[in-house]
Amino acid sequence: MSVRDLIPWGRNGDNQAPSLYRESEQNPFLSLHREINRVFDDAFRGFDTRLPAFGSFAAGAGWPNVEISETENEVRVTAEIAGMDEKDIELLLEDGVLTLRGEKRAENEDKNRHFSERFYGRFERRIPLGSEVEEDKANASFKNGVLTVTLPKSATAQSKVKRIAINGQGQVH
């Protein structure tokens, strides 16, 4: 048996492909659809191998979600790091930049079904604080997947705060 016998449109000697594949009879919208799919396939080929397997990690490079609030006396950084323990998280404060690092590992194994799965993912967020803080008085707590870092501002940073009076007349001088 020849390989040509396995090709349905090449068996009878006519080398014409089915109408779906002929350029002369091709639907332009179908062609556009195929081209767009090809562009996206080419652009994202291998993309899933560069992302960690966790859904929360795959949401973007911004993982974990971080909220920064500032008052006259302190800077507070809150990060949502669900599914991790405090032993998996590292906090560094250097030259006015707070660095948050972590690594998530998960391993599942079911010997009865001969199934095993491993997930690994790392993150690092660098947060410039923008004001002088008292590094030796920094405090961090971790509860229910939420990390809260409290950084008291230094006296010089607090003295640089200037209140500006707002004129209630609506006139600008």
Side-chain angles (χ1 to χ4, degrees):
M1 177 187 277
S2 171
V3 173
R4 289 188 152 201
D5 293 337
L6 298 175
I7 302 172
W9 57 83
R11 193 177 306 152
N12 299 335
D14 62 339
N15 289 328
Q16 293 201 355
S19 64
L20 182 64
Y21 297 106
R22 281 190 221 141
E23 286 187 20
S24 61
E25 297 178 17
Q26 197 172 30
N27 182 336
F29 293 109
L30 185 59
S31 174
L32 177 64
H33 179 70
R34 282 192 191 126
E35 275 300 305
I36 290 174
N37 282 344
R38 187 191 59 76
V39 166
F40 278 101
D41 288 344
D42 290 347
F44 294 109
R45 181 166 300 147
F47 194 73
D48 57 344
T49 61
R50 291 187 296 263
L51 285 177
F54 300 105
S56 57
F57 283 100
W63 192 85
N65 291 331
V66 175
E67 182 179 308
I68 303 167
S69 60
E70 185 174 358
T71 64
E72 290 180 20
N73 302 325
E74 69 183 16
V75 176
R76 183 175 298 232
V77 178
T78 306
E80 298 175 15
I81 312 176
M84 294 183 70
D85 296 324
E86 56 261 22
K87 67 177 172 34
D88 299 324
I89 302 166
E90 181 181 16
L91 283 173
L92 302 170
L93 183 58
E94 182 180 8
D95 295 330
V97 177
L98 178 68
T99 302
L100 190 75
R101 287 185 195 144
E103 184 172 2
K104 187 170 186 174
R105 297 177 183 201
E107 295 184 17
N108 298 324
E109 187 172 355
D110 188 350
K111 291 185 179 184
N112 295 333
R113 293 187 200 165
H114 304 287
F115 173 76
S116 119
E117 204 172 45
R118 290 177 184 84
F119 298 113
Y120 298 95
R122 292 182 183 201
F123 68 89
E124 181 174 319
R125 295 283 308 262
R126 294 176 167 260
I127 304 162
L129 299 175
S131 61
E132 297 174 21
V133 294
E134 296 185 32
E135 296 181 7
D136 56 331
K137 294 184 180 177
N139 183 21
S141 64
F142 187 74
K143 184 176 181 184
N144 296 330
V146 177
L147 174 70
T148 304
V149 182
T150 306
L151 305 153
K153 288 184 178 179
S154 66
T156 57
Q158 290 180 30
S159 67
K160 290 181 183 178
V161 175
K162 180 183 178 191
R163 293 215 181 267
I164 301 171
I166 301 173
N167 186 354
Q169 303 296 326
Q171 298 176 356
V172 178
H173 296 286

